[in-house]
Amino acid sequence: MPKEKTKKQKKSPPKVQAFQSVKGMADILPKDQNWWRMLRQVGFSVSELHDFYFIETPILEPAGLFEAGVGQSTDIVEKQMYSFKTKGGDLVVLRPEGTASVMRSYLEHHLGYFASPLKVFYYGPMFRYEKPQAGRERQFHQWGFEIVGDGDPVYDGQIILAALSFYKALKLKNVKVKINSIGCRVCRPNYRQRLKDYYNNRRDKLCRDCKERYEKNPLRLLDCKEAGCVELRAKAPIILDYLCQNCNNHLKSVLELIEDNGINYEPDPYLVRGLDYYNRTVFEFYIPEVDYALGAGGRYDYLSEILGGRLMPSVGVALGLERIIEAMKIQEIPPHLKAKPKIFFAAVGDKAKKASLKLMQELRESNIAVAEALGKKSLKAQLKSADKQKAPLAMIFGQKEAFESTVIVRDMRSGAQETVVLNRMVEEVKKRLH
Ligand code: HAM
């Protein structure tokens, strides 16, 4: 006789914890694949049109790279790096941005011998421990362009144009460039001092963060969003009045170039950027509907020296891909793709199912994308999936067709069907797809 179940045996098994992604880090789901495919398609096409080579650097980098490159007193290095010690004792970080990594790679592999200037692009995830909010994630993706090894303003112009081509290809409207110069080693120290002089007896009116910025990085006092600090800044000296002749000429040339190209720009004397490696031109891209930048960049002539190389004038930009998707949604621009139509393969019966993998492979080898739902038994259920996938054509392969070496081609819009012999299958499909 079976024993009666005890109370203990009846108990349901302990619940398994339902895991969630780490705060501020999102999954990119299949439903969003059109957005990301579009971004990659546009990104590669724009990068190629502008003659940039692809570069991919590791996601983990030595912490010191960003401490030196981006700057000890920046928000990124002070507060936002995901860092940890490896088992071997090295301090590494999840990269918070791509520019310092590209320069590290440039110096490590002497990429100046490959091309001069070197024009490279990259894309991938970046990591910053920030407070997640609209337009701000802890893992986000950038598409970056860098031109390493030339100080000519024509390259500042090229970088701005590459970024604008990206937005234009996506059909984003009213993208504006905010632009400024933050001077160089010659003129910036003088301006920095003027700024400190101005704020010196107004320090008690600054917000807490700005009190610290006053000591460590006074230029950043200018881009604080706190009302009190914004009010104070109205009478602060602006750098444009302190630029040396060379920086002045450089800025003038960049502005002439972007004017010649009909670019919608706005000089912004308060734009200083949050990374220390910049000098001269800095810029950010905006649309009117949101107050965060869709992309940003500038010149970083001294970064190579900071990382142990020789002086290597350079300029670059990085575009925030999640922010671009958001901006497109706000402007009601759907993802546009030159997606290949895929055909749907339905098979019923064991013999047909067995043979169908080979037939699908034949189609795929002829560059025809094939979808299927072979796990579903009935033809009706399989064709329902074909409808859902919006396939223009379905191939129907049953026992009879398998026996006769034929297949039915069905136009999913009109419902018209035709039987074709298997050894003409690829030609017949191609004929109907074009
Ligand atoms: P950045 O301004 O720190 O510059 O970032 C560039 C862009 O990445 C921003 O304009 C924004 O679109 C996006 N972004 C930044 N942080 C986040 C975040 N937490 N969540 C979502 N999107 C974000 C740089 O990274 C420089 N490396 C750009 C550069 C390239 N300069 C010269 N070359």
Side-chain angles (χ1 to χ4, degrees):
M1 258 199 36
K3 266 192 202 161
E4 231 182 285
K5 277 187 183 164
T6 63
K7 243 187 181 171
K8 207 172 173 195
Q9 280 171 320
K10 269 191 202 159
K11 245 190 181 173
S12 51
K15 267 204 178 141
V16 178
Q17 190 191 344
F19 291 106
Q20 296 197 325
S21 65
V22 172
K23 186 174 173 189
M25 304 198 179
D27 296 315
I28 295 176
L29 298 172
K31 73 175 171 57
D32 292 325
Q33 83 155 350
N34 281 354
W35 290 104
W36 292 90
R37 272 183 55 198
M38 171 196 64
L39 288 170
R40 277 193 294 269
Q41 268 180 13
V42 165
F44 278 107
S45 145
V46 169
S47 305
E48 249 169 48
L49 288 173
H50 288 252
D51 198 27
F52 285 80
Y53 291 96
F54 179 58
I55 190 166
E56 184 166 324
T57 56
I59 284 170
L60 275 189
E61 291 278 7
L65 173 64
F66 301 102
E67 284 161 8
V70 173
Q72 287 280 7
S73 64
T74 58
D75 286 350
I76 292 182
V77 170
E78 263 191 352
K79 308 178 202 155
Q80 298 171 355
M81 291 212 294
Y82 283 89
S83 52
F84 62 94
K85 260 210 174 117
T86 62
K87 283 183 185 143
D90 299 322
L91 190 60
V92 294
V93 295
L94 296 179
R95 62 181 182 196
E97 59 102 49
T99 310
S101 304
V102 167
M103 189 55 93
R104 179 211 34 81
S105 180
Y106 182 94
L107 296 172
E108 188 174 334
H109 303 287
H110 311 287
L111 295 180
Y113 289 111
F114 179 74
S116 185
L118 177 78
K119 294 171 67 173
V120 285
F121 75 94
Y122 53 89
Y123 71 96
M126 307 290 160
F127 304 84
R128 296 184 194 173
Y129 192 77
E130 294 189 79
K131 195 166 168 221
Q133 52 188 278
R136 181 161 296 161
E137 295 87 30
R138 289 180 172 174
Q139 174 179 274
F140 57 97
H141 295 74
Q142 287 185 341
W143 198 285
F145 297 102
E146 313 286 353
I147 303 180
V148 183
D150 206 308
D152 196 305
V154 78
Y155 290 111
D156 306 43
Q158 284 198 31
I159 282 288
I160 292 173
L161 282 173
L164 286 169
S165 293
F166 201 114
Y167 299 130
K168 194 170 173 191
L170 295 170
K171 302 189 170 44
L172 272 166
K173 293 179 283 275
N174 306 320
V175 180
K176 183 189 271 179
V177 191
K178 288 191 180 174
I179 189 162
N180 193 23
S181 172
I182 53 167
C184 66
R185 280 175 182 162
V186 175
C187 52
R188 203 182 332 169
N190 182 26
Y191 172 64
R192 200 171 179 259
Q193 194 50 51
R194 294 289 148 269
L195 206 58
K196 281 193 96 166
D197 293 345
Y198 169 79
Y199 280 105
N200 188 26
N201 47 14
R202 297 172 174 86
R203 259 190 284 177
D204 51 332
K205 297 198 186 102
L206 291 170
C207 73
R208 214 174 54 184
D209 283 348
C210 278
K211 285 196 175 99
E212 242 180 75
R213 288 181 186 133
Y214 174 87
E215 298 298 340
K216 294 184 183 164
N217 198 349
L219 257 68
R220 300 267 354 247
L221 292 168
L222 298 175
D223 72 358
C224 180
K225 305 282 182 287
E226 293 288 325
C229 300
V230 171
E231 202 183 313
L232 273 186
R233 142 188 120 175
K235 291 205 171 105
I238 58 170
I239 193 158
L240 297 179
D241 295 331
Y242 294 86
L243 291 180
C244 63
Q245 195 60 43
N246 287 341
C247 285
N248 232 329
N249 291 343
H250 189 95
L251 180 63
K252 223 172 116 218
S253 304
V254 176
L255 294 182
E256 273 168 18
L257 281 171
I258 61 177
E259 269 171 27
D260 285 352
N261 282 281
I263 289 167
N264 180 10
Y265 80 96
E266 181 185 304
D268 180 352
Y270 303 129
L271 183 65
V272 291
R273 308 276 298 124
L275 301 88
D276 277 0
Y277 51 56
Y278 290 115
N279 67 303
R280 291 199 171 153
T281 328
V282 287
F283 42 83
E284 289 182 348
F285 297 89
Y286 287 90
I287 53 164
E289 293 90 340
V290 290
D291 59 5
Y292 46 72
L294 297 191
R299 189 156 268 293
Y300 50 97
D301 294 344
Y302 309 129
L303 179 58
S304 166
E305 271 186 344
I306 295 168
L307 300 180
R310 59 189 173 84
L311 188 69
M312 192 65 63
S314 305
V315 60
V317 69
L319 317 183
L321 300 185
E322 283 81 359
R323 290 188 184 181
I324 288 180
I325 294 178
E326 210 38 53
M328 289 180 71
K329 287 182 179 166
I330 291 169
Q331 294 193 350
E332 296 181 1
I333 307 167
H336 32 275
L337 270 175
K338 282 187 250 115
K340 274 208 217 148
K342 50 182 169 189
I343 66 156
F344 195 89
F345 203 100
V348 265
D350 287 347
K351 188 167 183 241
K353 227 177 234 184
K354 244 187 204 159
S356 56
L357 285 193
K358 200 160 156 261
L359 294 174
M360 289 195 293
Q361 196 63 8
E362 207 180 303
L363 289 159
R364 288 170 178 147
E365 278 167 9
S366 302
N367 226 3
I368 300 165
V370 186
E372 49 71 40
L374 292 176
K376 295 189 169 51
K377 282 227 156 33
S378 75
L379 181 62
K380 196 172 160 206
Q382 290 185 40
L383 289 181
K384 216 167 149 194
S385 300
D387 267 337
K388 219 167 144 192
Q389 302 221 19
K390 298 196 171 64
L393 289 183
M395 318 290 290
I396 303 170
F397 193 54
Q399 298 291 58
K400 179 169 175 272
E401 288 74 26
F403 184 72
E404 292 172 352
S405 294
T406 59
V407 61
I408 297 170
V409 185
R410 179 189 176 108
D411 184 314
M412 291 300 289
R413 268 160 298 209
S414 67
Q417 300 195 158
E418 232 179 298
T419 300
V420 301
V421 288
L422 278 186
N423 56 14
R424 287 204 40 84
M425 173 182 73
V426 172
E427 287 92 318
E428 292 295 332
V429 168
K430 278 191 173 161
K431 208 163 76 189
R432 285 166 176 79
L433 284 179
H434 296 299

